[in-house]
Amino acid sequence: MKTFSKRLYFLKELLFPVNCAACGAALLNGAEAGTGLCEECAGMFPVNFEKRCSVCGRPLISELDICMDCRKSDGNAYDSMTLLYPYIGVEQQVLKAYKFGRHRSLARFFSEKIMSALGLLPCVKFSPLEVPWIPVPPRAGKLKTAGWDQVELIAKTLERLYHVPVLRRLKRLASKSQKELGKAERMTNLSGRIICSGKAPEEAVLLDDVFTTGATMNACAGALKSAGAKMVHGVCLFYD
Ligand SMILES: [Zn+2]
Ligand SMILES: [Zn+2]
């Protein structure tokens, strides 16, 4: 799609909202159209406030403080991680609808969910309005093919609706897509490929949509720490 037709598509979505991203029902009012979900489906996203792993933020099944994966890992460049939803079922469907650009209004829904979860989850170790948020940059070339940046749009929405301070400091150099790689390769694929422009703030919050192995978060947190950050947190909407 050319940039012009993409813009036209975005405008069309604003003027004639598409159906619910989850069940496909017609969106009945401005509030529903504003978030891309019908009222019923929007209510299907409760955040699990059970105990979380103190390292990666995933919900814990055992009584221990740290999950099995994290006990096996060599440690992370980030200091805390907040993850909201498992990437399955309706959650997966909704993120896909957002990524493929059919429901950009979901950025508003995601922002609301992030802010309410941060207020409730005990694993959150920063004040969302005081620490600068840094969106995880898209893969080099992705912006050109997709025409928009899905994480940046959520950052922008958090900035606009909640006055979250956003800093754009990270750039991603060309590398293979993380999706095609195994866990070990994912860790090395990004090494040196994420760059912090200028000095990093002392404390920062990284924002991304999906957390899989944590390789991207680690590479971003590492880049910020090399540029002077002392404490780096992360927030991801979904975890795989
Ligand atoms: Zn629905
Ligand atoms: Zn963990």
Side-chain angles (χ1 to χ4, degrees):
M1 239 196 296
K2 291 213 177 75
T3 311
F4 177 72
S5 52
K6 258 179 213 151
R7 279 198 195 127
L8 214 60
Y9 185 90
F10 197 19
L11 190 69
K12 181 182 156 279
E13 192 195 305
L14 283 175
L15 297 173
F16 309 101
V18 276
N19 293 2
C20 171
C23 74
L27 300 176
L28 299 176
N29 53 47
E32 290 187 352
T35 57
L37 289 168
C38 73
E39 209 182 310
E40 203 174 314
C41 291
M44 283 163 62
F45 285 77
V47 173
N48 175 357
F49 293 111
E50 301 293 308
K51 212 170 161 219
R52 300 292 186 117
C53 167
S54 62
V55 179
C56 73
R58 285 191 166 91
L60 282 172
I61 321 162
S62 73
E63 286 305 299
L64 296 157
D65 216 35
I66 298 177
C67 77
M68 286 300 283
D69 280 353
C70 290
R71 268 185 279 160
K72 280 187 258 163
S73 112
D74 307 328
N76 297 305
Y78 53 79
D79 299 277
S80 82
M81 184 58 59
T82 303
L83 308 173
L84 266 60
Y85 302 105
Y87 191 51
I88 43 164
V90 72
E91 286 87 352
Q92 191 175 33
Q93 197 183 335
V94 163
L95 184 67
K96 280 188 178 157
Y98 176 64
K99 276 191 172 179
F100 296 117
R102 297 194 302 273
H103 290 78
R104 288 188 205 186
S105 46
L106 282 166
R108 192 186 184 107
F109 177 73
F110 293 148
S111 302
E112 284 170 10
K113 289 291 165 189
I114 289 172
M115 291 313 281
S116 66
L118 291 182
L120 294 166
L121 282 169
C123 59
V124 179
K125 296 183 177 116
F126 58 90
S127 337
L129 301 182
E130 281 157 35
V131 178
W133 289 53
I134 302 182
V136 166
R139 201 157 33 83
K142 197 181 167 196
L143 213 55
K144 228 181 203 169
T145 44
W148 67 299
D149 176 351
Q150 65 224 30
V151 178
E152 168 60 27
L153 184 58
I154 300 172
K156 234 183 231 165
T157 311
L158 286 168
E159 205 174 21
R160 184 167 53 86
L161 298 181
Y162 298 97
H163 310 291
V164 160
V166 179
L167 258 186
R168 281 109 186 146
R169 275 291 151 82
L170 294 176
K171 273 210 181 81
R172 195 152 159 174
L173 305 177
S175 62
K176 279 190 205 162
S177 162
Q178 290 287 92
K179 272 189 209 130
E180 296 151 17
L181 306 171
K183 187 172 178 178
E185 284 177 295
R186 279 176 183 237
M187 293 290 176
T188 49
N189 181 42
L190 289 175
S191 122
R193 311 309 293 163
I194 294 191
I195 307 286
C196 177
S197 49
K199 198 176 178 308
E202 260 202 18
E203 191 176 1
V205 183
L206 287 162
L207 173 69
D208 206 357
D209 51 0
V210 185
F211 183 97
T212 308
T213 59
T216 308
M217 274 289 176
N218 265 311
C220 291
L224 290 176
K225 288 204 166 162
S226 308
K230 302 259 180 314
M231 185 77 92
V232 179
H233 311 279
V235 172
C236 284
L237 270 166
F238 300 95
Y239 55 90
D240 223 349

